[in-house]
Amino acid sequence: MKTIDFQIDADGIARVGIDVPGRTINVFVPELLTDLASVVEAIRTRDDIRGAILTSAKASGFIAGADLKDFATAHDRRVSAQSARDMTLHASQIFRSLETSGKPVVAAINGLALGGGYELCLACHYRVLVDDPKAVVGLPEVTVGLLPGAGGTQRLPRLIGIERAIPLLLDGRHVGPVDALRMGLVDKVVARDLVYATAREWVLAHPAACQPWDVKGFKVPGGAGALAPHAAKTFGLGVAALRAATRDNYPAPGAIQSCVYEGTQLPLDAALRVEASYFGSLLAGSVARNLMRTLFFNKLAADKGVGRPGLPDEKVVKLGVLGAGMMGSGITYAAAVSGIDVVLLDANQAAAEQGKARCAALLAKEVAKGRRSEQAASDVLARITPSDAFASVADCDLVVEAVFENREIKADVIRKAEAVLPKSAVFASNTSTLPITGLAQHSMRPGQLIGIHFFSPVERMQLVEVIVGRDTSESTLARALGFIKQLRKTPIVVNDSPGFYTSRIFCAFVDEGMAMLAQGVAPALIENAARQAGMATGPLAVTDEVSLELQKQVIDQAIADGLPDRCLRQHAAPVVEKLTSMGRLGRKAGMGFYDYPQGAKKHLWNGLSALYPLLERQPSVEEVKRRLLYIQALEAARCIEEGVLTDAANADIGAVMGLGFPTWTGGTLSLIETIGLSTFVAECDGFALQFGERFQPSEWLRRRANANEPFFAQPA
């Protein structure tokens, strides 16, 4: 066998050492299932085998689950729900054959066991887990739009009860050894050198082992079905809460609840068929494809530095941050936590000290939550040096400016910083709108100037948008991406243009919300439809957060720069002008589209209906949802057409991780592919007739739709 080291000792105990070649950690590949089927047959039929112990021959863990490469392409390969059902049922039947072999089988879990790996453990009669915080167990399939398809939704509730199993299945969390033992997910937690011996002792002591659910008269702990004491809470209120949380955009959680409800009232063999059917429908659907492609494969590739010029790594040892406001202090915190020494510079020492104090407050929260020790927090804080003198950044490898979004101010700090920086240093601007090529005109070394656009709050937001100017060198790009990797954040790379990528998408979203408001669409309908579509927040609320005042400044700057009409946000500008003229500048001012009464919950401002009388006939929720999502997707396609983006994956990652675009879509371009290019173009044409040319697809996109040319490469 290629994937299993199968040995039988003198006492007739079979050691099943799983070792998938070419992988740092075991995953379920077809060869492993084939070999496992052979092993199970041997355990069942050979008289010289008294029992078996399943373990891993790799120190990295037991089994991490399925190989998602095949799963992620199933939808694009047009794998049917029936085929997907049959595939997972094949694995499920191997596991079932193992647990009904008539011989004791123990899982000696010497590392993490997730997904199908933990499902295999559940099919064993006893589970011994190594006492190592990295040795987590769990069923995380819901996070990639699937459900456990090899018995997880059926064995776990039968093992620990439906009430305790459902939350684990719905949030997909990983459980460490202490909690796993307490919750009954494993039977024993022991030191590493005792794992196999403990498993062996149990096998020898339990020659007639049998799963509890195969014993006549077995009942699910706590009950199953509509008459179970917990049924009203679990399957009544639980379904309502789930629909409120998912907005019916994510099919997997609902499928899990249904699967558990139906399956736990059936004999296990029938229940496994129910589970496989639900799994097949999910795998064949687009949501699982979208989640896996964007949040797993494409994000992982970005984290590893895909697209980085092939130059040697140069780590940032000392960082300069210019501007100690919320953004600057957030960048400082992220760098210091990553082990980088930071000089935090502001116009005066008091402002710089205040920026460091913000970092101290973030660290104090970490300590209070038990995520960091007092000493570790102290060590991080010691890496931060507040200053008001540009000379203090003289030995920095890289400088990030996070000053006010004004071209003159940024030009001034570029000149002052470059006057003292080493010739090899990189200068990065944290601008969200000002073109990098224009800023580089104020630099003595434009090849070493780049945009590094962080998102607020920096300590929580993982995305970083890297903007390559006309003169930015490959070595500068490589160093910027290396710096972001040091911060353990996810980069996307875009080419310079007004608004870059994320700001263009963001403006498309909020501007469409304002256009609908001016049109007479009810403000509550706009906001609720956005959330129902899966956006993190409504366009009016998020505009208040970033401030209407800032929106006015951006629009005024675009006019002053003589940008083309499409960049002037003409259908939103009158709304911004009207509200700012009334002093309604956003949340910081206590009023914008919303009112923010002290000590009370924010609410939409009642005066909006007087400013913008409501249409007598309001659009449907679905129409509003589509307008808000389609306008962003259309702008993303334009960014590909114009060369602002050269990689579709960056469009999806940037939208989902930076702007809260719904993860069920996979991102802006995945949404277009999910809808179908031809359908998307046709629906945008309809919107263009109703609402204006901003919805008009370009001839480039129209040709692409006619040729059925997707944005992502399709599997064979």
Side-chain angles (χ1 to χ4, degrees):
M1 291 180 285
K2 295 180 180 179
T3 64
I4 293 176
D5 177 24
F6 185 63
Q7 299 177 15
I8 305 169
D9 67 20
D11 290 320
I13 308 300
R15 182 188 183 280
V16 183
I18 299 168
D19 189 3
V20 178
R23 303 292 183 123
T24 55
I25 190 166
N26 292 319
V27 292
F28 275 107
V29 293
E31 293 84 0
L32 176 55
L33 276 176
T34 299
D35 290 347
L36 189 60
S38 298
V39 166
V40 171
E41 182 63 18
I43 293 169
R44 292 179 66 91
T45 59
R46 286 178 55 168
D47 293 336
D48 59 335
I49 297 178
R50 296 171 57 188
I53 300 171
L54 273 62
T55 190
S56 170
K58 295 183 188 292
S60 54
F62 184 70
I63 303 177
D67 184 355
L68 293 185
K69 289 179 182 176
D70 281 342
F71 283 3
T73 60
H75 176 77
D76 293 332
R77 288 185 284 114
R78 293 177 173 78
V79 172
S80 69
Q82 181 66 37
S83 295
R85 170 196 179 275
D86 293 345
M87 176 197 69
T88 196
L89 193 57
H90 171 63
S92 193
Q93 288 168 343
I94 294 172
F95 292 5
R96 183 65 176 143
S97 184
L98 177 69
E99 71 180 348
T100 58
S101 65
K103 296 171 184 176
V105 181
V106 177
I109 312 168
N110 59 335
L112 65 81
L114 298 172
Y118 182 59
E119 287 181 288
L120 178 58
C121 297
L122 288 172
C124 296
H125 303 108
Y126 196 73
R127 288 155 290 279
V128 182
L129 178 62
V130 62
D131 190 4
D132 180 341
K134 294 181 180 178
V136 292
V137 299
L139 298 168
E141 285 86 348
V142 69
T143 62
V144 292
L146 299 172
L147 57 74
T153 68
Q154 301 309 313
R155 290 190 180 90
L156 189 62
R158 285 166 168 80
L159 184 68
I160 65 173
I162 292 171
E163 279 187 286
R164 298 172 74 187
I166 282 278
L168 292 173
L169 291 164
L170 290 180
D171 65 24
R173 74 183 174 95
H174 302 172
V175 182
V178 173
D179 286 340
L181 182 62
R182 177 181 57 81
M183 298 170 73
L185 304 181
V186 298
D187 301 292
K188 196 90 168 178
V189 172
V190 299
R192 184 170 297 278
D193 59 350
L194 296 176
V195 172
Y196 192 83
T198 303
R200 194 173 183 282
E201 287 174 9
W202 195 91
V203 170
L204 292 171
H206 298 81
C210 179
Q211 296 283 37
W213 43 85
D214 287 324
V215 176
K216 188 175 181 179
F218 169 79
K219 294 187 183 301
V220 175
L227 299 180
H230 61 83
K233 178 182 176 183
T234 306
F235 299 116
L237 296 175
V239 170
L242 194 64
R243 293 193 67 188
T246 66
R247 311 284 186 181
D248 291 333
N249 292 319
Y250 300 86
I256 287 171
Q257 278 199 322
S258 297
C259 200
V260 171
Y261 180 79
E262 296 171 31
T264 51
Q265 298 179 74
L266 298 170
L268 186 62
D269 292 296
L272 294 175
R273 292 193 291 273
V274 169
E275 178 187 74
S277 293
Y278 277 106
F279 177 90
S281 296
L282 294 174
L283 184 61
S286 62
V287 173
R289 185 276 308 269
N290 292 341
L291 289 169
M292 283 185 275
R293 183 166 70 186
T294 298
L295 295 181
F296 189 80
F297 289 106
N298 290 344
K299 180 186 180 300
L300 184 62
D303 290 343
K304 289 183 176 180
V306 65
R308 181 185 181 277
L311 298 170
D313 279 339
E314 292 184 61
K315 289 191 179 298
V316 172
V317 177
K318 191 170 185 180
L319 174 73
V321 177
L322 312 183
M326 294 299 293
M327 182 63 76
S329 56
I331 297 168
T332 298
Y333 172 83
V337 164
S338 302
I340 300 172
D341 291 330
V342 187
V343 175
L344 180 56
L345 186 74
D346 212 306
N348 58 70
Q349 189 68 26
E353 295 283 358
Q354 188 176 11
K356 183 172 181 177
R358 290 192 187 96
C359 297
L362 290 172
L363 288 165
K365 289 180 181 178
E366 291 278 290
V367 172
K369 293 176 181 177
R371 295 174 183 167
R372 199 181 301 274
S373 68
E374 291 276 4
Q375 183 58 53
S378 179
D379 291 344
V380 170
L381 210 55
R383 297 187 191 111
I384 303 170
T385 303
S387 175
D388 62 355
F390 271 88
S392 60
V393 301
D395 57 347
C396 288
D397 311 301
L398 186 146
V399 164
V400 178
E401 67 80 6
V403 299
F404 192 68
E405 193 78 348
N406 176 280
R407 183 176 284 105
E408 287 70 32
I409 295 174
K410 290 184 184 290
D412 184 53
V413 299
I414 290 171
R415 286 190 293 266
K416 288 178 177 177
E418 287 187 345
V420 299
L421 282 171
K423 290 184 178 180
S424 60
V426 166
F427 188 99
S429 173
N430 180 56
T431 180
S432 59
T433 56
L434 298 176
I436 294 301
T437 302
L439 291 177
Q441 293 173 3
H442 305 283
S443 170
M444 295 183 294
R445 30 188 147 159
Q448 290 162 238
L449 194 143
I450 194 167
I452 300 183
H453 175 206
F454 290 88
F455 293 77
S456 184
V458 179
E459 65 273 11
R460 292 208 305 269
M461 296 294 283
Q462 284 300 109
L463 186 77
V464 182
E465 184 178 32
V466 179
I467 305 105
V468 177
R470 182 188 60 204
D471 301 312
T472 303
S473 70
E474 283 201 340
S475 63
T476 298
L477 174 59
R479 292 182 70 184
L481 291 175
F483 168 58
I484 294 164
K485 188 175 182 180
Q486 281 181 260
L487 300 184
R488 294 183 287 277
K489 292 187 180 291
T490 301
I492 62 169
V493 179
V494 308
N495 290 316
D496 195 19
S497 77
F500 317 131
Y501 171 63
T502 56
S503 292
R504 283 176 64 167
I505 302 303
F506 175 79
C507 290
F509 172 57
V510 299
D511 289 5
E512 194 60 29
M514 287 186 268
M516 284 193 267
L517 179 70
Q519 178 192 339
V521 178
L525 173 56
I526 297 168
E527 297 291 87
N528 289 330
R531 288 192 292 270
Q532 286 187 36
M535 291 298 300
T537 190
L540 305 182
V542 77
T543 304
D544 270 4
E545 292 295 332
V546 300
S547 92
L548 282 140
E549 184 179 31
L550 177 60
Q551 298 306 300
K552 182 175 179 351
Q553 290 166 357
V554 170
I555 293 169
D556 290 347
Q557 185 72 63
I559 294 171
D561 289 346
L563 295 182
D565 288 350
R566 66 177 180 80
C567 299
L568 301 183
R569 304 170 62 184
Q570 292 173 327
H571 54 288
V575 177
V576 172
E577 184 67 38
K578 182 174 286 189
L579 266 77
T580 54
S581 69
M582 300 171 68
R584 303 194 69 87
L585 307 180
R587 185 176 192 122
K588 285 185 179 179
M591 55 182 183
F593 293 112
Y594 285 74
D595 278 329
Y596 301 88
Q598 284 192 340
K601 193 175 180 181
K602 74 176 184 181
H603 57 81
L604 281 161
W605 176 41
N606 293 331
L608 284 174
S609 58
L611 284 182
Y612 303 106
L614 299 182
L615 290 169
E616 185 174 336
R617 183 172 182 177
Q618 291 289 309
S620 68
V621 173
E622 284 303 312
E623 179 181 300
V624 176
K625 285 162 63 174
R626 284 187 291 125
R627 279 180 69 175
L628 291 171
L629 294 181
Y630 283 25
I631 196 68
Q632 296 178 78
L634 197 54
E635 193 66 24
R638 291 186 184 117
C639 286
I640 291 284
E641 179 181 1
E642 295 166 16
V644 176
L645 289 167
T646 58
D647 186 349
N650 281 337
D652 281 357
I653 293 169
V656 168
M657 295 186 64
L659 305 174
F661 198 78
T663 56
W664 65 266
T665 67
T668 44
L669 297 183
S670 283
L671 173 68
I672 296 177
E673 289 194 358
T674 299
I675 295 165
L677 270 72
S678 295
T679 301
F680 178 79
V681 165
E683 293 195 24
C684 285
D685 280 336
F687 282 153
L689 288 172
Q690 289 181 272
F691 309 119
E693 64 178 354
R694 64 184 179 277
F695 277 102
Q696 192 73 52
S698 69
E699 286 306 311
W700 172 87
L701 184 59
R702 212 176 289 282
R703 287 194 301 271
R704 193 163 190 142
N706 290 337
N708 194 27
E709 182 185 348
F711 294 101
F712 294 91
Q714 299 298 291

